[in-house]
Amino acid sequence: MTEHKLTVEAEPYEFELDPKRTALLLIDMQRDFVEPGGFGEQLGNDVSNLRRVIAPLQRVLGVMREGGYTVIHTREGHRPDLSDCPPSKIARGRLSCGIGDVGPMGRILVRGSHGHDIIDELKPIGDETVVDKPGKGAFFATDLDFMLHNRGIESLVVTGVTTEVCVNTTVREANDRGYECLVLEDCVGSYFPEFQEYALRMIKAQGGIFGWVSSSEKLLVALEAGQSVGGRV
Ligand code: TIU
């Protein structure tokens, strides 16, 4: 079969992807980070800065699902006994209500709690993979790399929250492992507008030191002009 690559307008230059070797990664679109009344808002953050990614991300998810792309969701969180949570992470911030405590949506960042799960708007369907990660990076202490390798994935379309924390950490981890990352600026969000700007600039600087930055619209233009994973659409 001839290899068919799609070209996406991006910075610092165009991004080329092979649909069969590309996965969509949705990082930590969890209620506790994104929803009003969750852990993130309780810490004083403005969740509207994160919620603006939901609509464009729904469009990208819909088109990539339709095209048969590999879709992988991640969630940051811990086992109920917190045995996979470093004491330093629990202590950090000197919070009166932090990891493992009962927050507004159940135990904070504990697997199985309402707040830990992915928002309804982006709920995983079918056989989409959900990676539960104890750290900020999606590769640390998870089987993500092994699964991507087994599926022949080489490129990641990276979305989710927050841009400077879990998204940036994951892009750096992926880049060191040889994956090419395309980050969609309107599908990643930060509580802090200045961090949003600089986290994206850090990725695409120096000739794309960690990866590429584009937008949902530019990706959708390329996807619509191209092929689905299974053949011509
Ligand atoms: N998913 C993720 O980014 N976790 C965080 O803790 N982010 C913050 O910005 N705090």
Side-chain angles (χ1 to χ4, degrees):
M1 180 183 289
T2 52
E3 189 185 88
H4 182 92
K5 288 205 170 183
L6 303 183
T7 302
V8 185
E9 194 185 328
E11 289 183 289
Y13 52 87
E14 70 279 2
F15 184 80
E16 296 205 329
L17 67 85
D18 175 349
K20 286 191 170 54
R21 297 190 177 276
T22 301
L24 173 65
L25 191 58
L26 297 94
I27 298 177
D28 300 358
M29 291 302 295
Q30 296 163 250
R31 295 189 182 104
D32 256 333
F33 294 128
V34 175
E35 293 213 330
F39 179 50
E41 190 176 78
Q42 185 183 269
L43 292 175
N45 296 305
D46 178 0
V47 293
S48 69
N49 287 321
L50 305 195
R51 296 189 66 74
R52 62 168 189 80
V53 313
I54 296 172
L57 188 39
Q58 280 182 308
R59 286 193 283 278
V60 169
L61 178 60
V63 170
M64 292 186 79
R65 273 176 176 159
E66 186 76 16
Y69 283 79
T70 296
V71 175
I72 299 177
H73 306 257
T74 72
R75 299 184 295 202
E76 180 180 351
H78 301 278
R79 296 169 184 263
D81 65 4
L82 302 184
S83 58
D84 60 353
C85 189
S88 60
K89 186 175 179 182
I90 298 172
R92 192 69 50 84
R94 299 178 175 169
L95 305 175
S96 57
C97 184
I99 295 171
D101 295 331
V102 179
M105 295 186 181
R107 289 186 71 200
I108 291 166
L109 296 193
V110 170
R111 294 174 197 156
S113 75
H114 186 68
H116 169 265
D117 210 352
I118 294 165
I119 58 172
D120 291 338
E121 295 92 322
L122 298 166
K123 215 179 173 59
I125 57 167
D127 60 0
E128 289 172 1
T129 302
V130 178
V131 174
D132 279 317
K133 61 187 186 65
K136 303 304 181 196
F139 288 84
F140 171 70
T142 72
D143 52 6
L144 176 60
D145 191 39
F146 190 44
M147 290 190 285
L148 295 175
H149 174 80
N150 290 337
R151 292 173 180 177
I153 300 295
E154 295 172 349
S155 306
L156 301 172
V157 174
V158 183
T159 66
V161 298
T162 63
T163 314
E164 77 279 16
V165 182
C166 293
V167 171
N168 239 272
T169 306
T170 299
V171 167
R172 290 166 189 231
E173 289 180 325
N175 183 61
D176 277 348
R177 286 165 176 78
Y179 298 99
E180 297 200 311
C181 293
L182 179 71
V183 180
L184 303 181
E185 60 191 1
D186 55 334
C187 294
V188 293
S190 169
Y191 296 122
F192 309 99
E194 68 274 28
F195 291 172
Q196 171 80 2
E197 181 193 343
Y198 277 92
L200 292 170
R201 286 174 66 174
M202 283 180 195
I203 289 166
K204 67 188 177 187
Q206 301 185 66
I209 193 87
F210 297 122
W212 286 255
V213 176
S214 186
S215 67
S216 60
E217 207 179 308
K218 288 174 180 160
L219 175 67
L220 293 175
V221 166
L223 294 179
E224 276 155 25
Q227 261 189 339
S228 72
V229 174
R232 190 131 202 113
V233 282

